[in-house]
């Protein structure tokens, strides 16, 4: 890769921003040293690693790499037998812990984590050594009392001996010798307990002088009777130091034995830290994983340059590499041409480093083996290069090095010199770059170069949109149409003298003036057409939404209608079944009377009673034939108890047994069934059987609880089928979803017959036998439509 081009495209700044998310210094160095790959497979692997780390962080909930220091030098010393310090051993424990956590957290993830798992499975860790270090080393300069039994014993004796010596010296201080002391305190010199004695009384205290104050007024004397105790304390202190060194040496030896594995762990953890940092950067900047190809195809959808403030950056979409290999990008200054140029190159480099790009999902970038760019002013005083010379030096290098698999980005090709020579040179360079098979974007203000793009294959004009009314750029690329530079219009908006502008227009060639005017008018027409199209699309979407809502409402009404019809049919069937049952009872009673040889008066009364029942149950056929539209609606003004009404939902006659004028509800008897209905569902077809003064007001109309199960044990198959049919009809009316039929186990004949009948039932969606604890094969659960 061309180093200068990478710097021009500011990949180093992006990598520096990514490195801020790393948890370790080694991870930061890994990111800053990352170089774009030229292999399609390697780039895909890098992006897959970043994608898996993104999933681990934000889906699985894995933590990042735990911080640790590089202890490579300490490991080399430990491997050679040196004892490490407490701080170095704690750093070793931190490395072991980071390795263990990284390995376990990835192993717990699902099988979709493939590439990261390949890294973590090479990690080595030793939980036992990690625990021993953290338990025995309590600080960067301290070993725990419990690091060994011997150390615990030594330190216990030291504490006891310290207490005894202080106690002895405290007695001395409070004794008759107290007047000889400078201060009533016990202190230490040369690791031995002493007392401060005034200089004039130093001969009155028997003991050994260890030190004298700077002023000479105080001597620090060790009394004779604590000499042996101090000697014992010194000996114990030496024993303690030796035991601590032995503990540190043992731990260092164990750590040194793992030197080779831990050095490898360090490199693997740095790599993982860098990957997690890339994933975190992508998440923080709303980046997506781009599609990768090796065919030079680029499609960036609403890309945002990552180094521009997120509140100020304007998304831009760019397509390159399918129907045309080069874009000739023109348009007004400050319109975003250079930013777009840099963004395209930077996105390709970011993807090649395994970084997600700040665009919309579905974006694609290509992997290039070389990236060339000439952007900005690169004049050099030391090398005596002017702006044009520096510019042409880069162009020469690009022309010599570009070929298949190269991406070329040139800003203002041919600028900085005579326009005629500059545009001629620009045409030649563009033609050469197209013929050598490279891909790229070139920006220009040259009108002849825009015309040239129409005549040469492999290159397409494109323009950065510009609002001619406000004279402000719209930061949007339009393919197929060159853009006007609008230099005079912008100068006019900025306040340039009108006479100067008119003079400038007179200097324009006729061809240039004509071309710019055509381009400007075409651009204005296109913008107006797109605005109209946007308005039409908005209206179309609005009407499509309204039509969808209307269709949904129609479907809902049809479902409600079907539900009401199904409920009405079920209720009608129940009424018919009740009537048939009553008729069978009456016929059976009549047959019993006719069987008697001699009829008594009681039999005649019974027969008359049956006759009256039959008469009461007969409907007026003539009244049934009357059209519903001729009936008068029932209102709170004409309703009364005993009123003969037509029930619209049931398509049947009934009688009002009670009503509530406040709620607009009534209780209606249809044969043996009582229903609670709204007045709007009733039509007046007869007069009241009772006077209005006897009207009964219903405060709350009771409703019977729906039955959830039926027991057909002991019934024959026909009887059971009949009962099950009535039960399902009522369940449908009550809007139940599932009911239970209890038929027992027995021989299984009844269960099989019911199951066969349920298969053909129009109101049954599915059925099953009971599970364990539900009655098993003795019950059948029925799910209703």
């Amino acid at each position: 890769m061309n180093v200068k081009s990478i710097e021009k495209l500011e990949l180093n700044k992006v990598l520096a921003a990514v490195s801020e998310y790393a948890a370790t210094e080694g991870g930061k160095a890994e990111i800053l040293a990352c170089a774009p790959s030229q292999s399609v497979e390697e780039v895909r692997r890098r992006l897959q690693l970043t994608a898996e780390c993104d999933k681990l962080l934000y889906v699985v909930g894995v933590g990042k790499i735990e911080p640790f220091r590089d202890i490579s030098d300490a490991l080399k010393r430990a491997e050679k037998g040196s004892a490490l310090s407490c701080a170095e051993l704690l750093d070793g424990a931190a490395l072991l812990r980071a390795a263990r956590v990284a390995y376990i957290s990835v192993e717990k993830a699902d099988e979709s984590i493939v590439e990261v798992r390949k890294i973590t499975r090479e990690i080595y860790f030793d939980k036992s050594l990690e625990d021993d270090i953290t338990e025995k080393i309590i600080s960067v300069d301290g070993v725990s009392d419990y690091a060994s039994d011997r150390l615990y014993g030594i330190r216990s004796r030291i504490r006891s001996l310290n207490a005894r010596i202080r106690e002895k010296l405290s007695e001395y201080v409070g004794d008759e010798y107290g007047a000889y002391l400078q201060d009533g305190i016990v202190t230490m010199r040369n690791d031995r307990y002493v007392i401060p004695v005034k200089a004039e009384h130093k001969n009155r205290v028997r003991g050994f002088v260890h030190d004298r104050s700077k002023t000479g007024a105080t001597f620090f004397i060790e009394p004779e009777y604590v000499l042996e105790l101090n000697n014992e304390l010194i000996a114990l202190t030496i024993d303690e130091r030796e035991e601590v060194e032995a503990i540190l040496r043992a731990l260092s030896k164990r750590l040194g034995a793992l030197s080779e594995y831990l050095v490898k762990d360090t490199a693997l953890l740095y790599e993982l830290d860098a990957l997690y940092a890339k994933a975190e950067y992508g998440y923080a900047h709303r980046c997506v994983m781009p599609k990768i190809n090796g065919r030079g195809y680029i499609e960036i959808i609403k890309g945002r340059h990552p180094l521009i403030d997120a509140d100020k950056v304007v998304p831009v979409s760019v397509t390159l590499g399918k129907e045309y290999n080069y874009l000739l990008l023109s348009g007004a200054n400050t319109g975003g041409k250079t930013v777009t140029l840099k963004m395209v190159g930077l996105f390709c480099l970011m993807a090649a480093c395994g970084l997600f790009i700040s665009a919309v999902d579905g974006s694609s970038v290509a992997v290039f083996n070389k990236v060339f760019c000439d952007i900005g002013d690169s004049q050099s005083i030391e090398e005596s290069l002017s702006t044009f010379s520096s510019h042409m030096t880069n162009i020469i290098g690009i022309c010599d090095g570009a070929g298949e698999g190269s991406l070329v980005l040139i800003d203002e090709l041919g600028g900085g010199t005579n326009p005629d020579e500059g545009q001629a040179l620009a045409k030649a360079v563009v033609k050469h770059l197209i013929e050598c098979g490279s891909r790229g974007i070139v920006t220009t203000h040259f009108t002849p170069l825009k015309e040239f793009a129409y005549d040469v294959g492999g290159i397409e004009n494109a323009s950065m949109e510009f609002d001619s009314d406000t004279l402000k750029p719209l930061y949007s690329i339009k393919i197929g149409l060159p853009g006007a530079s609008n230099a005079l219009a912008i100068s006019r908006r900025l306040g340039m003298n009108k006479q100067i502008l008119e003079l400038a227009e007179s200097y324009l060639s006729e061809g240039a003036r004509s071309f710019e005017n055509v381009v400007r008018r075409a651009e204005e027409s296109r913008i107006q057409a797109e605005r109209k199209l946007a308005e039409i699309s908005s209206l179309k979407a609005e009407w499509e939404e309204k039509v969808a809502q209307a269709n949904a409402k129609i479907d809902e009404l049809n479902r409600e209608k079907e539900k009401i019809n199904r409920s009405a049919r079920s209720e009608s069937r129940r009424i018919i079944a009740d009537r048939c049952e009553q008729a069978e009872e009456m016929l059976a009673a009549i047959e019993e009377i006719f069987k008697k040889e001699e009829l008594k008066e009681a039999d005649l009364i019974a027969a008359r009673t049956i006759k009256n029942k039959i008469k009461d149950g007969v409907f007026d056929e003539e009244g049934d034939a009357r059209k519903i539209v001729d009936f008068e609606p029932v209102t709170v003004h004409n309703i009364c108890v005993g009123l003969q009404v037509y029930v619209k939902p049931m398509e049947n006659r009934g009688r009002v047994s009670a009503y509530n004028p406040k709620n607009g509800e009534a209780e209606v008897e249809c044969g043996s069934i009582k229903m609670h209905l709204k007045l709007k569902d009733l039509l007046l077809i007869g007069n009241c059987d009772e006077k209005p003064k006897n009207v009964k007001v219903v405060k709350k109309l009771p409703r019977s609880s729906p039955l959830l199960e039926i027991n057909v044990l002991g019934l024959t198959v026909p009887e059971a089928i009949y009962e099950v049919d009535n039960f399902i009809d009522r369940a449908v009316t009550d809007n139940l979803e599932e009911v239970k039929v209890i038929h027992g186990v027995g021989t299984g004949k009844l269960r099989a017959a019911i199951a066969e009948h349920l298969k053909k039932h129009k109101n049954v969606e599915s059925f099953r036998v009971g599970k364990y604890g539900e009655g098993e094969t003795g019950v059948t659960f029925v799910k209703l439509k």
Side-chain angles (χ1 to χ4, degrees):
M1 285 285 180
N2 188 297
V3 177
K4 289 185 177 180
S5 296
I6 292 176
E7 291 178 356
K8 283 283 186 179
L9 294 173
E10 301 178 304
L11 176 64
N12 57 329
K13 293 183 179 179
V14 173
L15 293 177
V18 175
S19 69
E20 295 300 317
Y21 292 90
T24 64
E25 291 301 319
K28 291 182 179 180
E30 185 98 4
I31 294 167
L32 294 174
C34 182
S37 173
Q38 300 174 21
S39 166
V40 174
E41 293 304 318
E42 173 61 18
V43 171
R44 285 175 178 162
R45 190 187 78 87
R46 290 183 178 186
L47 289 172
Q48 182 61 30
L49 283 167
T50 306
E52 290 181 8
C53 287
D54 179 82
K55 183 176 181 179
L56 287 169
L57 287 174
Y58 302 108
V59 178
V60 180
V62 168
K64 295 171 60 177
I65 298 299
E66 298 205 0
F68 65 93
R69 289 194 180 96
D70 187 352
I71 59 168
S72 300
D73 293 338
L75 288 172
K76 289 179 182 177
R77 287 189 283 109
E79 191 176 10
K80 294 177 180 178
S82 298
L84 303 182
S85 66
C86 293
E88 289 172 329
L89 286 170
L90 286 176
D91 288 340
L95 172 58
L96 287 168
R97 173 176 170 77
R100 176 174 58 84
V101 171
Y103 176 87
I104 293 174
S105 60
V106 174
E107 282 300 308
K108 289 181 178 179
D110 58 52
E111 295 302 318
S112 65
I113 307 300
V114 178
E115 296 298 329
V116 174
R117 190 174 270 115
K118 288 179 183 177
I119 297 174
T120 57
R121 284 186 174 172
E122 294 185 25
I123 290 176
Y124 176 87
F125 61 92
D126 187 335
K127 180 72 163 54
S128 175
L129 178 56
E130 176 194 338
D131 290 342
D132 281 349
I133 294 175
T134 53
E135 288 172 4
K136 293 179 180 181
I137 311 298
I138 57 176
S139 68
V140 294
D141 57 0
V143 177
S144 171
D145 293 350
Y146 304 98
S148 71
D149 293 339
R150 184 169 182 266
L151 182 61
Y152 180 79
I154 293 172
R155 287 184 173 176
S156 296
R157 292 200 300 274
I158 288 175
R159 284 191 292 269
S160 175
L161 193 56
N162 276 323
R164 286 174 58 196
I165 293 174
R166 284 183 173 277
E167 184 180 354
K168 286 286 187 182
L169 291 178
S170 297
E171 292 176 1
Y172 194 96
V173 171
D175 202 353
E176 58 189 39
Y177 293 99
Y180 304 150
L181 303 182
Q182 190 72 23
D183 297 303
I185 60 172
V186 177
T187 185
M188 295 193 77
R189 287 294 186 275
N190 301 322
D191 296 328
R192 303 177 75 90
Y193 283 99
V194 296
I195 55 177
V197 180
K198 296 176 182 177
E200 60 268 24
H201 299 300
K202 69 179 189 308
N203 295 324
R204 294 180 179 275
V205 178
R206 295 178 62 83
F208 297 91
V209 177
H210 284 274
D211 198 3
R212 184 179 68 178
S213 65
K214 291 181 179 181
T215 61
T218 305
F219 283 80
F220 296 96
I221 300 175
E222 178 185 5
E224 283 184 340
Y225 63 82
V226 295
L227 175 63
E228 290 301 326
L229 294 177
N230 272 331
N231 289 339
E232 185 179 354
L233 181 62
I234 292 296
L236 287 173
T237 303
I238 294 171
D239 291 342
E240 177 193 20
R241 184 168 58 250
E242 290 176 349
E243 181 61 18
V244 167
E245 288 177 356
I247 292 169
L248 295 180
R249 189 175 294 104
L251 291 174
S252 301
K253 183 178 180 181
R254 291 173 63 187
L255 201 62
L258 304 178
S259 175
E260 181 181 350
Y261 298 104
L262 296 182
V263 168
K264 183 178 179 181
D265 278 359
T266 301
L268 292 173
L269 291 174
Y270 284 161
E271 182 181 358
L272 282 174
D273 187 29
L275 291 172
Y276 282 130
K278 291 177 182 179
E280 197 170 359
Y281 172 85
Y283 182 84
H285 290 77
R286 305 193 313 278
C287 298
V288 299
M289 179 178 174
K291 299 176 183 177
I292 298 299
N293 67 85
R295 305 184 309 276
Y297 173 61
I298 297 173
E299 183 182 14
I300 298 172
I301 307 172
K302 294 184 178 179
R304 310 177 308 277
H305 197 291
L307 297 178
I308 299 178
D309 190 341
D311 296 329
K312 297 179 181 179
V313 66
V314 179
V316 177
S317 298
V318 184
T319 304
L320 176 69
K322 271 194 175 180
E323 299 175 359
Y324 45 86
N325 293 341
Y326 268 84
L327 271 181
L328 184 66
L329 193 57
S330 54
N333 291 317
T334 71
K337 298 190 299 296
T338 303
V339 172
T340 302
L341 201 71
K342 285 187 173 183
M343 181 189 73
V344 172
L346 181 58
F347 278 3
C348 292
L349 295 177
M350 287 174 65
C353 290
L355 290 168
F356 289 179
I357 62 174
S358 49
V360 172
D361 199 19
S363 298
S364 299
V365 295
V367 177
F368 296 98
N369 52 34
K370 294 179 182 178
V371 176
F372 299 98
C373 72
D374 181 66
I375 301 173
D377 185 0
S378 301
Q379 63 178 326
S380 172
I381 295 176
E382 291 83 359
E383 298 180 13
S384 301
L385 293 176
S386 67
T387 299
F388 178 74
S389 298
S390 174
H391 176 63
M392 289 315 300
T393 300
N394 289 336
I395 298 300
I396 292 169
I398 292 172
C399 291
D400 291 342
E404 287 283 347
S406 298
L407 177 66
V408 177
L409 306 167
I410 303 177
D411 193 23
E412 302 294 345
L413 178 59
T417 188
N418 178 278
D420 289 337
E421 292 183 351
Q423 58 89 14
L425 188 60
K427 289 179 184 179
V429 169
V430 168
K431 189 169 180 59
H432 169 76
L433 293 174
I434 294 172
E435 290 175 350
C436 74
S438 62
R439 306 298 198 270
I441 301 176
V442 176
T443 69
T444 187
H445 287 289
F446 288 145
T447 298
L449 193 56
K450 300 173 190 177
E451 296 172 345
F452 173 76
Y454 282 119
D455 299 329
V456 177
I459 186 169
E460 185 69 57
N461 268 305
S463 61
M464 301 298 297
E465 285 196 58
F466 188 82
D467 191 329
S468 58
D469 295 332
T470 62
L471 297 180
K472 290 183 178 179
L474 300 177
Y475 302 104
S476 177
I477 296 179
K478 284 300 173 184
I479 307 295
L481 186 69
S485 297
N486 291 288
L488 298 180
I490 292 173
S491 300
R492 183 179 291 107
R493 182 172 68 87
L494 295 175
M496 181 170 279
N497 187 287
K498 183 179 179 181
Q499 292 179 348
I500 297 175
L501 289 171
E502 290 175 352
L503 184 60
E505 289 177 353
S506 69
Y507 288 150
L508 284 175
S509 67
E510 186 63 31
R513 188 185 300 115
S514 175
F515 184 82
E516 289 293 319
N517 288 336
V518 169
V519 169
R520 189 177 297 106
R521 285 196 297 270
E523 194 169 351
E524 291 172 357
S525 299
R526 178 181 53 76
I527 292 173
Q528 291 177 2
E530 288 187 350
R531 287 174 180 170
K532 293 294 182 183
L533 181 61
E535 292 176 5
I536 293 171
S537 299
S538 177
L539 289 173
K540 180 182 177 183
E542 183 180 347
W543 279 108
E544 285 178 349
E545 183 180 357
K546 289 182 179 180
V547 169
Q549 291 175 353
N551 289 334
K553 189 65 176 177
I554 290 171
D555 292 340
E556 182 181 353
L557 292 173
N558 287 334
R559 287 194 298 270
E560 189 67 23
K561 177 183 177 182
E562 177 60 26
K563 182 178 178 181
I564 293 171
N565 290 338
R566 188 166 61 244
S567 177
R569 286 194 298 270
S570 300
E571 191 65 25
S572 300
R573 187 156 48 207
R574 183 178 291 106
I575 293 172
I576 293 172
D578 290 343
R579 292 300 177 86
C580 289
E581 185 179 353
Q582 292 174 9
E584 288 176 359
E585 291 176 357
M586 293 178 187
L587 287 173
I590 291 172
E591 288 177 359
E592 288 295 327
I593 294 173
F594 286 158
K595 287 179 182 178
K596 296 181 180 180
E597 296 179 359
E598 183 180 353
L599 297 176
K600 298 180 181 179
E601 185 176 356
D603 296 329
L604 295 174
I605 294 172
R608 192 178 300 113
T609 302
I610 292 171
K611 177 185 177 182
N612 292 336
K613 286 183 179 180
I614 294 173
K615 184 178 180 181
D616 291 341
V618 176
F619 290 101
D620 182 5
E621 295 180 0
E622 182 181 351
D624 285 342
R626 186 187 304 168
K627 293 182 180 179
I628 296 176
V629 293
D630 296 334
F631 295 159
E632 180 183 351
V634 174
T635 66
V636 293
H637 303 293
N638 59 15
I639 192 171
C640 62
V641 173
L643 183 67
Q644 297 294 320
V645 293
Y646 182 84
V647 182
K648 290 190 286 185
M650 298 294 298
E651 298 181 357
N652 209 339
R653 288 172 173 268
R655 173 179 169 276
V656 176
S657 58
Y659 71 91
N660 188 335
K662 292 183 179 179
N663 296 338
E665 294 181 348
E667 183 180 77
V668 179
E669 295 178 356
C670 289
S672 60
I673 296 176
K674 288 185 177 180
M675 296 178 290
H676 303 149
L677 301 167
K678 295 289 185 182
L679 296 185
K680 64 180 181 179
D681 293 330
L682 304 176
L683 298 174
L684 178 62
I685 61 174
N687 297 324
C688 295
D689 294 341
E690 302 177 16
K691 295 181 180 180
K693 65 180 180 179
N694 294 328
V695 168
K696 178 173 67 174
V697 176
V698 181
K699 293 184 179 179
K700 186 175 182 181
L701 303 175
R703 296 187 65 176
S704 59
S705 300
L707 297 177
L708 300 176
E709 63 181 40
I710 183 174
N711 190 336
V712 295
L713 287 169
L715 300 182
T716 64
V717 170
E719 291 172 344
I721 295 298
Y722 175 77
E723 293 296 335
V724 169
D725 267 343
N726 290 338
F727 174 63
I728 290 177
D729 288 340
R730 179 164 183 179
V732 171
T733 305
D734 291 333
N735 292 322
L736 298 179
E737 294 183 359
E738 187 177 72
V739 294
K740 180 168 69 172
V741 178
I742 303 173
H743 45 64
V745 180
T747 62
K749 181 179 179 182
L750 184 57
R751 175 175 60 79
I754 291 174
E756 189 64 30
H757 181 69
L758 292 176
K759 289 179 183 178
K760 305 173 184 178
H761 203 292
K762 62 180 181 180
N763 291 328
V764 174
E765 182 176 325
S766 62
F767 61 91
R768 62 176 178 84
V769 295
K771 300 177 183 177
Y772 179 77
E774 293 180 337
E776 301 181 27
T777 58
V779 298
T780 296
F781 287 87
V782 183
K783 186 175 181 182
L784 303 175
K785 292 182 180 178

